[in-house]
Amino acid sequence: MSVLSVQNITKAYGAVKALKDISFEVQKGEIFGLIGPDGAGKTTVFRILTTLLKPDSGKAEVLGKDVVLGYRKIRSEVGYMPGRFSLYQDLTVEENLQFFASVFGTTLDENYDLIKPIYSQLEPFRDRLAGALSGGMKQKLALSCALIHKPEVLFLDEPTTGVDAVSRKEFWEMLHRLREQGISILVSTPYMDEAEQCDRIGLLQEGRLLSIDTPQAITNQFDSDLWAIKSRDKYQLIQVLRKYEHARSVQPFGDSVHYSDARDDFDKEELTSYLHSNGINRPEMHRITPHIEDTFIRLMEKEVNDG
Ligand SMILES: Nc1ncnc2c1ncn2[C@@H]1O[C@H](COP(=O)(O)OP(=O)(O)OP(=O)(O)O)[C@@H](O)[C@H]1O
């Protein structure tokens, strides 16, 4: 059963086409990730689905209600954590929660069980001003506020941006626990490594959804062998590889460079001797399994080349 559906939505801000005919569905109890760089259109999708913005064309439904006609009902049934957390900095932790509870006509006590695993870590700081919390703590408080009225669907716009690695990991564990309780989650992130945490993902670039599938199926779309190459001077390695006549793609990735060759019968020795003759001595080279990021870059290149 789908809890939300987006059909052929477009949205422009003046001349900027933020969303270009996008369609996807989120199933009940699913974590669906919208993955894309800054400006891809993620926030615009969230604003439309949480009824804060009307699409120019197309249709979107949340829990069976149209986002334009049924906006009142939708607002009471979903939880929304906008980017850059919507907390009142000059209210305390507890006051923030009480405020969000009262907006939805409920109380902290009534829904304590749902937020307890998250809120319990914040309780020692209940009298601290939200503005004085660390990024990870703010994130937990914002999630507690979005959950206070037991929503069926949670919208989380870049919840882990600017949050340390440990808090990010804990945050995803919390989302998995919420999923087990039947809550459906649409979450956006600019971090590719978080794609693996989702049941399905949509890759968004410049207002277009390039692919929608499970992280594994998206990775499987990578249609050639991939090599990780390392040498002392990574910058020089990239320059030399990009000039190689058989190079199909050359992308820096951590401390190595991901390389794929345009030929079916790639000759590793030939590339090694090319690198040697261009001043790259003793490069380390081994075949690797593509990451989501490799596939995403390839899909983006394809989109640009296909026009
Ligand atoms: N109110 C606005 N007026 C004009 N252009 C806008 C407005 N809001 C967004 N845009 C533009 O629309 C495009 C999509 O923006 P959107 O905020 O949806 O992307 P995003 O993926 O959420 O990126 P970010 O993480 O930077 O917010 C961008 O080019 C952005 O500059």
Side-chain angles (χ1 to χ4, degrees), residues 115-214:
I115 63 163
K116 190 177 168 216
I118 306 160
Y119 185 57
S120 58
Q121 300 169 48
L122 282 169
E123 273 191 307
F125 312 101
R126 60 154 73 94
D127 295 325
R128 188 176 287 187
L129 293 182
L133 295 174
S134 69
M137 291 283 199
K138 277 186 183 159
Q139 178 201 44
K140 288 191 181 97
L141 178 57
L143 181 60
S144 301
C145 291
L147 280 169
I148 195 71
H149 57 298
K150 282 204 177 122
E152 285 187 50
V153 185
L154 255 188
F155 292 100
L156 309 173
D157 191 4
E158 296 199 20
T160 55
T161 296
V163 174
D164 65 88
V166 175
S167 299
R168 277 171 60 187
K169 187 168 170 290
E170 279 177 13
F171 192 79
W172 280 101
E173 285 165 7
M174 287 187 273
L175 296 193
H176 291 143
R177 280 200 294 273
L178 291 171
R179 174 182 57 186
E180 280 161 24
Q181 298 182 40
I183 295 179
S184 315
I185 301 173
L186 179 70
V187 56
S188 71
T189 177
Y191 303 121
M192 300 273 177
D193 58 333
E194 294 188 338
E196 313 278 348
Q197 303 279 352
C198 303
D199 298 311
R200 286 190 308 139
I201 52 173
L203 295 177
L204 193 64
Q205 189 213 9
E206 292 183 1
R208 274 189 212 289
L209 268 172
L210 302 185
S211 192
I212 303 171
D213 220 321
T214 60

Side-chain angles (χ1 to χ4, degrees), residues 13 16 18 37-44 158:
Y13 302 101
V16 180
D38 286 347
K42 304 181 296 296
T43 300
T44 305
E158 296 199 20

